[in-house]
Amino acid sequence: MASLNKVMLIGNLGKDPEVRYTPAGTAVASFSLATTEKFKNKNGEFEEKTEWHNVVLWGRQAEIAGEYLAKGRTVFIEGRLQTRKWQDKDGRDRWTTEVVGERMQMLGGKGEGGGGRAGGRGGQESGFGGGPAYDEPAFNPDDDIPF
């Protein structure tokens, strides 16, 4: 039976990425990402609903995130959902579902996103190999679709 585990998100960081290193020296970055849906309610008024997603990046992507991403920065994340089990301080089993990023692309221009650490690298993309997989233009929701 076929299955698919794929997540694609465009949102804003809720906090600066937290970068840690495994005992083997692999970088791991984690941060929260907010996506907002805008819609009209029954009364015809616009409402917003924000969902928060926990995102984890590994290796070179984690290092790039730690260096260039900051709270408020807009980013595209493509990856997969993963649920992991852990124990709290009282020894109770807990589960966390997070997005394991396989591809990241920073969106927006210089200085966008309040952190100032972005350094003008808007459009920087990171894949498994640590560098751009191919030259892809930055996402622009105002672009006309040719069909």
Side-chain angles (χ1 to χ4, degrees):
M1 181 165 105
S3 66
L4 177 67
N5 182 356
K6 187 168 204 81
V7 176
M8 298 170 81
L9 300 170
I10 295 175
N12 297 320
L13 272 72
K15 62 179 181 177
D16 291 351
E18 178 184 327
V19 180
R20 301 173 313 279
Y21 291 87
T22 65
T26 303
V28 183
S30 57
F31 55 90
S32 58
L33 189 73
T35 56
T36 302
E37 173 187 7
K38 297 177 184 175
F39 59 94
K40 280 187 179 180
N41 64 19
K42 295 178 185 178
N43 299 328
E45 300 165 340
F46 281 100
E47 287 188 25
E48 290 186 357
K49 180 181 177 189
T50 300
E51 292 286 337
W52 288 93
H53 313 274
N54 294 322
V55 178
V56 177
L57 300 173
W58 290 84
R60 183 67 183 131
Q61 285 192 100
E63 294 170 356
I64 291 169
E67 188 172 346
Y68 296 106
L69 294 183
K71 179 180 178 177
R73 182 76 196 251
T74 304
V75 66
F76 167 79
I77 299 289
E78 183 175 350
R80 59 187 167 81
L81 282 180
Q82 177 177 288
T83 302
R84 60 184 172 87
K85 182 178 174 182
W86 55 281
Q87 289 188 337
D88 66 14
K89 62 183 178 184
D90 298 324
R92 289 180 291 208
D93 288 343
R94 308 281 297 209
W95 290 266
T96 299
T97 300
E98 54 202 6
V99 176
V100 178
E102 298 169 351
R103 182 172 163 231
M104 171 187 69
Q105 183 169 348
M106 291 177 266
L107 304 176
K110 285 186 185 181
E112 183 255 49
R117 298 183 330 176
R121 298 267 315 242
Q124 174 71 30
E125 180 179 333
S126 176
F128 276 122
Y134 55 91
D135 291 327
E136 180 176 314
F139 173 79
N140 183 350
D142 296 326
D143 280 350
D144 289 331
I145 299 176
F147 51 86

